[in-house]
């Protein structure tokens, strides 16, 4: 029987991200956009971790998220799950704020380069896993990433900003 399928590598998460919740693949959501100059620019980034018995980090499935400083790769807020805030991950006890994500400059350079190969896609949300063998690795790319986590973590709307950079009118 012939059928189409996609084969993917098995992700072996590196310790630098597994420290939060080793049962799930914890990812960095990095949102980039193509500016009027035709170049890719960072918009915002969050870390997403699983919690409890969950094997996924998805915020919609009960995961925890925190804002990452887009320039430094340092987590700059406490973690948030629903309406609850966490200074430390409730399972591992790892403190969110001040944690440095690994090889941040390499991640930024990869996303800039990769996004610029598809300039017609003005906005992309990159879910990136830190792996033992490859460093940062793409889990998935979202062509319409949500802004809700950013807005909830910062307490700010984003419409004026995204309009000012030409994403939406």
């Amino acid at each position: 029987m012939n059928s189409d399928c996609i084969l993917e590598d098995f992700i072996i998460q590196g310790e630098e991200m597994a420290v939060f919740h080793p049962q799930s693949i914890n990812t960095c959501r990095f949102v980039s956009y193509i500016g009027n100059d035709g170049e890719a620019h960072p918009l915002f980034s969050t870390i997403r971790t699983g919690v409890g018995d969950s094997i996924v980090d998805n915020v919609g499935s009960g995961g925890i998220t925190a804002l990452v400083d887009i320039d430094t790769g340092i987590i700059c807020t406490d973690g948030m799950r629903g309406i609850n805030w966490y200074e430390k991950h409730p399972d591992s006890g790892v403190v969110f704020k001040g944690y440095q994500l690994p090889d941040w400059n390499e991640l930024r350079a990869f996303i800039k380069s990769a996004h610029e190969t598809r300039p017609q896609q003005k906005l992309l949300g990159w879910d990136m896993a830190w792996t033992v063998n490859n460093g940062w690795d793409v889990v998935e790319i979202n062509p319409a990433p949500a802004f809700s986590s950013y807005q909830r973590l910062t307490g700010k709307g984003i419409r004026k900003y995204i309009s000012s950079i030409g994403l939406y009118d």
Side-chain angles (χ1 to χ4, degrees):
M1 177 175 163
N2 291 333
S3 64
D4 292 330
C5 67
I6 297 174
L7 298 177
E8 299 175 334
D9 288 336
F10 184 76
I11 295 172
I12 301 173
Q13 180 169 229
E15 181 61 27
E16 296 85 344
M17 292 290 279
V19 296
F20 289 99
H21 188 258
Q23 299 90 327
S24 61
I25 300 297
N26 306 309
T27 59
C28 174
R29 164 69 61 89
F30 194 112
V31 178
S32 61
Y33 71 95
I34 299 293
N36 293 332
D37 58 3
E39 293 185 20
H41 301 276
L43 187 59
F44 67 88
S45 184
T46 60
I47 183 175
R48 299 148 13 125
T49 73
V51 67
D53 294 334
S54 180
I55 61 169
V56 297
D57 67 349
N58 190 292
V59 174
S61 297
I64 296 174
T65 187
L67 190 67
V68 177
D69 182 286
I70 201 75
D71 294 320
T72 66
I74 297 172
I75 299 174
C76 55
T77 67
D78 290 337
M80 181 182 63
R81 179 181 185 205
I83 60 170
N84 299 311
W85 289 86
Y86 300 88
E87 179 182 331
K88 301 175 182 177
H89 193 285
D91 299 318
S92 65
V94 174
V95 174
F96 287 101
K97 197 182 292 186
Y99 190 89
Q100 174 70 61
L101 299 185
D103 288 340
W104 190 251
N105 290 334
E106 288 82 357
L107 176 62
R108 284 177 52 108
F110 168 78
I111 289 174
K112 177 176 175 48
S113 175
H115 194 162
E116 288 175 358
T117 67
R118 297 288 183 263
Q120 68 279 12
Q121 186 66 49
K122 294 291 186 188
L123 182 71
L124 290 172
W126 305 79
D127 291 348
M128 304 294 292
W130 177 253
T131 67
V132 170
N133 298 325
N134 300 324
W136 288 107
D137 213 349
V138 177
V139 175
E140 70 177 0
I141 305 168
N142 299 281
F147 297 135
S148 56
S149 289
Y150 172 84
Q151 292 175 329
R152 291 178 63 219
L153 287 164
T154 63
K156 299 178 193 174
I158 197 168
R159 182 179 182 150
K160 285 183 185 177
Y161 176 65
I162 62 174
S163 292
S164 75
I165 58 176
L167 280 177
Y168 300 103
D169 293 323

